[in-house]
Amino acid sequence: MKIVVLSDTHRDAAIIPDVIAAHPDAAYYFHCGDSELAYEDVHIKDCKRVRGNCDYDVNYPVEEVVDVEGKTVFMTHGHLFNVKTTLTPLAMRAQEVNANIVLFGHSHVLGAELVDGTLFLNPGSLKSPRGRKEKSYAVIETTADSYSVTFLDDQHQLITKINF
């Protein structure tokens, strides 16, 4: 199964359908917040989406828990869990909802790690990356017992790939 994850696009509405079009075979598209678009905006309508600290449309939920082919995906923006400082509150919430995959943004720093069998993933930012020059998003490919995470830039070129 293939999942596309993006975050922190900050009013760059056109990049969202561009990423979706680059991965028409994905089962799901997730946007981890700070699109700064209206919840019903046509550019983001194909994504599961949450509200970030820069999103003012109250129709966005602050978190989503989605069953994705037998895996529980928990998504939030991250600002309510202090992800710039620690992942502990986020990990505790992930445990409460029995998440297999945790998706978040907010820091604009890409990263992925497997902790006690749970995949934590921040796709970085497609607008203003931090920690590196490339704007980024992520593609997760799952099997029953493994994850492959590919980070791509805004031109859909490989940044790095991690297998868990």
Side-chain angles (χ1 to χ4, degrees), residues 29 57 106 122 136 151:
Y29 305 95
D57 188 331
H106 187 54
N122 184 327
S136 63
F151 289 101

Side-chain angles (χ1 to χ4, degrees), residues 38 41 48 70 95 109 115-116 133 135:
D41 190 289
K48 297 285 185 189
Q95 192 173 32
V109 178
V115 179
D116 296 328
K133 63 179 179 174
K135 298 174 181 180

Side-chain angles (χ1 to χ4, degrees), residues 74-129:
F74 169 64
M75 176 178 56
T76 190
H77 182 60
H79 64 296
L80 300 175
F81 293 92
N82 300 314
V83 299
K84 288 183 179 180
T85 306
T86 178
L87 293 184
T88 301
L90 184 64
M92 291 172 67
R93 180 65 179 137
Q95 192 173 32
E96 289 173 353
V97 300
N98 296 312
N100 305 103
I101 300 172
V102 179
L103 307 176
F104 64 100
H106 187 54
S107 69
H108 296 215
V109 178
L110 67 79
E113 63 181 302
L114 194 65
V115 179
D116 296 328
T118 301
L119 178 65
F120 288 79
L121 182 127
N122 184 327
S125 172
L126 278 165
K127 182 69 173 184
S128 305

